[in-house]
């Protein structure tokens, strides 16, 4: 009966572990996987049997597989936690060799006087894609705003009769004698120059010519 209870407890524990949405591993002091859940199987591609008993470095990407064992060993020797108790973005590797980014958190627990490390992983592929999409949209809006501003400047320059980049000249009134201190010559009149003044005798002679007809034939009978 006691053995059955132990088996039931293990089954319950495994069911709870498998109910997690995020991949989870339990590893011993030698980085050997002792527990793995179904989410880890789905994400990384190995079966539970392939995981159990193997080094956790099998899921490490980006050259971290060789250094991972050193992380735990250094922590056990010095107590300096670089990965333990923290969450970090690290490269991971699937069974097919493809690599992707995960958010990895490692915690330490003690059971029966032995240290056990639990690792929780979260796939960042969708998160990073969404970030890149937002960044592309931001760049697109910035470029569109820049182009619209340049187009408006070009239209304004054309409406002013200027070439792009030219500066509108300041509007200044024409110079006046008061502003320059100079005297401007009066323009010549388009009319004929005035006649010289005549004496009274010349005016009377001219009047007599108009009264007496020069044609004498008009006076004959």
């Amino acid at each position: 009966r006691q053995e059955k209870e132990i088996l039931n407890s293990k089954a319950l524990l495994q069911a709870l572990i498998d109910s997690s949405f995020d991949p989870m591993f339990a590893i011993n002091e030698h980085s050997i996987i002792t527990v793995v859940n179904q989410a880890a199987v789905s994400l990384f591609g190995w079966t539970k049997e392939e995981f159990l008993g193997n080094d956790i470095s099998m899921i490490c990407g980006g050259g971290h597989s060789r250094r991972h064992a050193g992380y735990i060993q250094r922590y056990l020797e010095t107590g300096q936690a670089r990965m333990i108790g923290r969450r970090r973005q690290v490269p991971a590797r699937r069974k097919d060799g493809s690599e992707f980014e995960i958010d990895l958190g490692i915690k330490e627990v003690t059971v029966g006087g032995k240290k056990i490390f639990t690792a929780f992983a979260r796939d960042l592929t969708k998160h990073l894609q969404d970030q890149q999409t937002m960044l592309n949209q931001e760049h697109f809006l910035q470029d569109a705003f820049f182009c619209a501003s340049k187009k408006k400047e070009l239209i304004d320059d054309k409406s002013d009769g200027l070439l792009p980049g030219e500066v509108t000249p300041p509007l200044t009134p024409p110079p006046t004698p008061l502003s320059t201190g100079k005297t401007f010559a009066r323009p010549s009149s388009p009319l004929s120059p005035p006649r010289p003044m005549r004496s009274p005798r010349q005016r009377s002679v001219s009047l007599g010519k108009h009264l007496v007809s020069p044609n004498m034939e008009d006076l004959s009978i």
Side-chain angles (χ1 to χ4, degrees):
R1 181 178 179 180
Q2 185 177 2
E3 183 179 355
K4 184 177 181 179
E5 290 179 354
I6 293 175
L7 291 176
N8 289 338
S9 297
K10 287 185 177 179
L12 177 60
L13 178 60
Q14 186 63 50
L16 293 174
I17 293 173
D18 286 336
S19 66
S20 173
F21 290 103
D22 293 330
M24 195 213 80
F25 300 89
I27 59 178
N28 60 19
E29 297 176 352
H30 305 287
S31 300
I32 301 301
I33 300 172
T34 58
V35 178
V36 64
N37 68 349
Q38 187 60 39
V41 172
S42 302
L43 179 61
F44 292 96
W46 284 283
T47 64
K48 287 185 178 181
E49 291 72 22
E50 291 173 323
F51 272 125
L52 296 175
N54 285 305
D55 197 292
I56 189 63
S57 61
M58 64 190 297
I59 69 168
C60 297
H64 288 270
S65 57
R66 297 180 180 180
R67 300 194 296 266
H68 189 273
Y71 298 153
I72 294 181
Q73 189 64 32
R74 181 171 53 252
Y75 170 72
L76 294 174
E77 293 176 356
T78 65
Q80 296 179 357
R82 296 186 178 180
M83 292 286 294
I84 312 300
R86 302 179 181 180
R87 300 189 69 93
R88 294 180 60 182
Q89 179 178 331
V90 296
R93 182 171 63 91
R94 297 185 181 91
K95 183 178 180 179
D96 60 7
S98 60
E99 295 192 0
F100 61 106
E101 295 293 316
I102 63 172
D103 180 49
L104 180 65
I106 302 178
K107 297 285 291 184
E108 175 191 357
V109 296
T110 302
V111 179
K114 295 183 179 180
K115 293 182 181 298
I116 298 177
F117 300 94
T118 56
F120 296 88
R122 184 166 64 93
D123 186 7
L124 294 179
T125 302
K126 182 66 166 57
H127 175 69
L128 295 177
Q129 288 177 349
D130 292 342
Q131 279 190 336
Q132 186 62 44
T133 300
M134 293 179 61
L135 185 61
N136 292 340
Q137 290 177 348
E138 182 179 352
H139 289 167
F140 173 78
L141 293 176
Q142 289 178 350
D143 293 341
F145 178 77
F146 178 78
C147 292
S149 300
K150 286 296 182 181
K151 185 176 181 180
K152 184 178 182 303
E153 291 179 4
L154 183 61
I155 293 175
D156 292 342
D157 289 342
K158 287 184 176 181
S159 63
D160 293 337
L162 301 174
L163 294 176
E166 285 188 334
V167 180
T168 304
L171 297 177
T172 56
T176 62
L178 294 178
S179 63
T180 59
K182 298 181 179 180
T183 302
F184 292 91
R186 297 181 61 183
S188 58
S189 173
L191 302 178
S192 57
R195 296 179 180 181
M197 295 294 294
R198 293 181 297 175
S199 63
R201 179 180 178 82
Q202 290 175 332
R203 289 198 298 271
S204 61
V205 172
S206 175
L207 179 60
K209 290 181 179 181
H210 287 286
L211 295 176
V212 180
S213 173
N215 192 355
M216 299 302 295
E217 295 180 355
D218 295 336
L219 300 177
S220 61
I221 302 177

